[in-house]
Amino acid sequence: MKKKNTNAAAIASRDITEAIRRYSLVGMLGWQDVKQRYRRSALGPFWLTISMGVMIATIGIVFGKIFNSPMADFLPFLTVGMILWTFMSTVIAEGCLSFVAAEGVIKQLPLPLFIHVLRVIWRNFLILAHNIIIFPLVLLAVGKPVGMEAFLSIAGLLVVIVNLTWMILILAILCARYRDLPQIVNSALQIVFYLTPIMWLPNLLPAKASVYLLVWNPFFHLIEIVRAPLLQRLASEVNWEVTLGLAVVGWAMALAVYGRYKLRIAYWL
């Protein structure tokens, strides 16, 4: 049994390593996806940035008044939360179909399958890079500076990407086998969105509810390790412990699942 698990991890590791070595191909495919999606569009991905900015302004005004929150605090909080959640949820939703969408390539070319997972991450990172422009504009609007703590958000974003990668790797395998699963994932993401402090401030929760909606919510910790430094705060030790622990446990599971079922994926498509 131990030898079987070791072989599965070795198979998965070889495929992942080979995919990483072909980073230039991943970059080209991801960039091509973005260009193809906005072909003949004057503003390209910036249409998403504009719609995101309008949505943040609308939600900020409405919910800021409803919760009676100071706009100088609530609007930057909302902006980072919405941008990060859009990145994370889109990666997960598209990641579910990363193998299914690449069916033709998988059946015709002997490429590492993990390339298609990295492709999803990269193209959504490019869109994230466009959307993040909104944040400094919001800071200018509310008259808030950016502190030196903001550099820690880079490390936080890397941890988020590491976690998202193992998540969509497992989901891509399961969704290749069970085609109804993407709909379940999308529904679950909508629920998680309302349960995670994105449109509402964590300090509005009573103590008992905080345990369930904050401490036991991995998406809160993933968002917080990026959001807190950008808002001139430091993410808590619990935030880092949960996200790093999640990465270790998640990748151990992903390597085991991927190594065991990698050779079956082409037959499921």
Side-chain angles (χ1 to χ4, degrees):
M1 185 69 177
K2 185 177 180 181
K3 184 177 180 181
K4 185 177 181 180
N5 291 335
T6 304
N7 291 338
I11 291 171
S13 299
R14 281 197 300 270
D15 187 86
I16 292 171
T17 302
E18 184 61 27
I20 294 173
R21 286 176 181 171
R22 302 194 183 191
Y23 63 88
S24 58
L25 176 60
V26 174
M28 182 191 70
L29 290 173
W31 184 248
Q32 189 63 34
D33 287 341
V34 175
K35 289 176 64 177
Q36 187 66 27
R37 185 179 301 180
Y38 299 99
R39 187 181 180 186
R40 297 182 181 178
S41 172
L43 295 179
F46 285 107
W47 278 117
L48 287 177
T49 305
I50 294 171
S51 62
M52 174 71 70
V54 171
M55 181 172 63
I56 288 172
T58 305
I59 294 175
I61 294 171
V62 173
F63 280 82
K65 294 296 182 181
I66 292 174
F67 296 130
N68 197 26
S69 303
M71 200 58 65
D73 296 327
F74 181 64
L75 202 54
F77 175 90
L78 173 68
T79 300
V80 180
M82 288 295 296
I83 292 172
L84 282 175
W85 174 257
T86 300
F87 170 67
M88 293 167 60
S89 60
T90 306
V91 165
I92 293 172
E94 293 183 358
C96 288
L97 301 173
S98 54
F99 292 150
V100 175
E103 177 182 355
V105 178
I106 291 174
K107 290 183 176 180
Q108 294 179 35
L109 297 175
L111 293 174
L113 298 184
F114 192 66
I115 280 180
H116 307 294
V117 172
L118 295 179
R119 180 180 180 177
V120 172
I121 296 286
W122 174 241
R123 71 167 175 254
N124 282 287
F125 179 80
L126 292 174
I127 295 173
L128 171 67
H130 286 80
N131 287 341
I132 202 65
I133 296 173
I134 301 171
F135 181 64
L137 297 178
V138 169
L139 290 182
L140 285 174
V142 299
K144 279 205 164 188
V146 177
M148 295 299 294
E149 302 93 342
F151 289 104
L152 292 175
S153 64
I154 299 174
L157 183 59
L158 290 175
V159 174
V160 169
I161 291 174
V162 168
N163 276 290
L164 287 176
T165 306
W166 73 256
M167 288 180 192
I168 67 172
L169 177 57
I170 293 177
L171 286 173
I173 296 168
L174 294 176
C175 292
R177 180 66 180 87
Y178 304 103
R179 297 303 175 89
D180 292 328
L181 191 56
Q183 305 303 323
I184 298 175
V185 172
N186 287 330
S187 298
L189 286 173
Q190 292 179 10
I191 296 172
V192 173
F193 172 73
Y194 291 110
L195 296 179
T196 304
I198 297 171
M199 296 193 302
W200 47 272
L201 296 169
N203 56 21
L204 297 175
L205 288 176
K208 290 183 179 180
S210 297
V211 175
Y212 300 103
L213 297 182
L214 300 183
V215 178
W216 295 103
N217 185 348
F219 287 94
F220 165 69
H221 297 291
L222 288 170
I223 290 176
E224 195 65 10
I225 60 174
V226 180
R227 180 170 58 191
L230 291 174
L231 300 180
Q232 295 183 299
R233 294 185 287 106
L234 293 178
S236 68
E237 291 184 5
V238 174
N239 296 146
W240 284 105
E241 288 170 358
V242 170
T243 52
L244 291 174
L246 198 63
V248 173
V249 174
W251 268 107
M253 289 172 26
L255 289 175
V257 173
Y258 189 42
R260 181 171 182 178
Y261 296 108
K262 174 183 175 293
L263 298 179
R264 305 184 191 181
I265 293 173
Y267 294 99
W268 290 341
L269 297 175

